[in-house]
Amino acid sequence: MSRRQIGQEAFGFAVDRSGTSSLDDLADLIDWALVDQALVVISCAARGEPAWPPLALLKAMLLSIWYDLSDVKLAE
């Protein structure tokens, strides 16, 4: 089974922010490629929809813990 390909979509109405956020600073501190290599052993099921990449799920879980987000708020 394949994994979903996800990326950052651009919105034409988005305001261009030249400043960086604390999450940008955190992304620079962590070697996400190394984390992604450690998570590559997680397999996906042979049936059903394509799986979400393990790194994306890990980042979502970290955000939900750090910011005390519900599932609905995390999806938003």
Side-chain angles (χ1 to χ4, degrees):
M1 178 57 60
S2 64
R3 289 207 166 107
R4 294 176 190 258
Q5 296 295 321
I6 61 173
Q8 181 66 43
E9 291 82 16
F11 294 104
F13 57 85
V15 177
D16 182 28
R17 294 184 291 162
S18 58
T20 60
S21 72
S22 60
L23 292 178
D24 293 324
D25 295 337
L26 182 63
D28 293 338
L29 291 174
I30 298 173
D31 185 5
W32 291 109
L34 193 61
V35 175
D36 194 29
Q37 286 177 348
L39 296 174
V40 77
V41 297
I42 298 174
S43 63
C44 49
R47 295 182 179 186
E49 292 186 30
W52 289 99
L55 182 59
L57 295 175
L58 175 68
K59 287 180 178 182
M61 183 184 71
L62 291 174
L63 285 173
S64 69
I65 292 170
W66 292 338
Y67 293 99
D68 195 26
L69 300 175
S70 67
D71 291 342
V72 173
K73 287 294 185 185
L74 183 62
E76 289 175 1

